[in-house]
Amino acid sequence: MTSESVQPMSGPSRRTVVAAVGAAGLTVALTACGSEDTASDSSTEQGAAGGGATNDGAGSSGGAGGTALAKTADIPEGSGKIFKDEKVVVSQPAAGDYKAFSTICTHQKCPMVDLKDDIISCACHGSQFSVLDGSVKKGPAVQPLEAKQISVNGDSITLA
């Protein structure tokens, strides 16, 4: 027979466990709100080059090629109009020049629906973009809005 003494093994204290869980939660929260953008595919780079409106008269009228969005008269010059269901904003930087951009923020992919003058704002983290060229006006976003292809046929604007 051995005379080993049996001592209970002690685990981490409740305070240690709570502190570890809190630290893990803080790490997750900080990571989710980080400002590093990983979207650098050609579609977001295309957004910096400008939107894609064609005005060649051969554009789609909404039946075969895309979704009819609006009449040209519905888009104010120097501003734009949001189409929430299509997740797109159409703008008219100059008379007769139409561009379209995604309304999904390039920072953390939040949908944007707040448009004032020529600035569309993200309610999630405060990024602001120009609807005229898709550029970032205020961070934390660093990538421009993704350009969307539209066609203008007469007075009809269609999402390609």
Side-chain angles (χ1 to χ4, degrees):
M1 214 165 156
T2 63
S3 61
E4 288 181 32
S5 65
V6 178
Q7 294 188 347
M9 199 174 253
S10 70
S13 69
R14 182 166 34 169
R15 181 176 289 164
T16 302
V17 171
V18 169
V21 169
L26 181 60
T27 301
V28 168
L30 290 175
T31 301
C33 290
S35 64
E36 181 179 7
D37 287 324
T38 57
S40 61
D41 60 48
S42 62
S43 64
T44 55
E45 291 169 10
Q46 180 183 14
T54 59
N55 196 7
D56 57 10
S60 144
S61 62
T67 304
L69 292 175
K71 299 292 183 191
T72 55
D74 296 337
I75 310 301
E77 186 177 342
S79 186
K81 182 175 179 180
I82 294 174
F83 298 91
K84 188 175 178 181
D85 291 342
E86 292 80 6
K87 296 181 178 101
V88 68
V89 60
V90 177
S91 64
Q92 184 178 190
D97 180 27
Y98 298 92
K99 297 188 182 284
F101 300 96
S102 171
T103 58
I104 302 301
C105 181
T106 59
H107 173 237
Q108 292 289 325
K109 309 300 182 220
C110 290
M112 297 182 289
V113 295
D114 185 29
L115 174 64
K116 289 193 174 60
D117 299 322
D118 65 339
I119 300 294
I120 189 168
S121 301
C122 179
C124 291
H125 300 105
S127 294
Q128 294 181 338
F129 302 86
S130 168
V131 296
L132 304 180
D133 64 8
S135 65
V136 176
K137 294 299 182 184
K138 178 183 169 198
V142 296
Q143 296 290 323
L145 293 175
E146 177 186 356
K148 295 292 187 176
Q149 294 295 316
I150 56 173
S151 61
V152 180
N153 188 10
D155 68 346
S156 180
I157 300 173
T158 304
L159 186 59

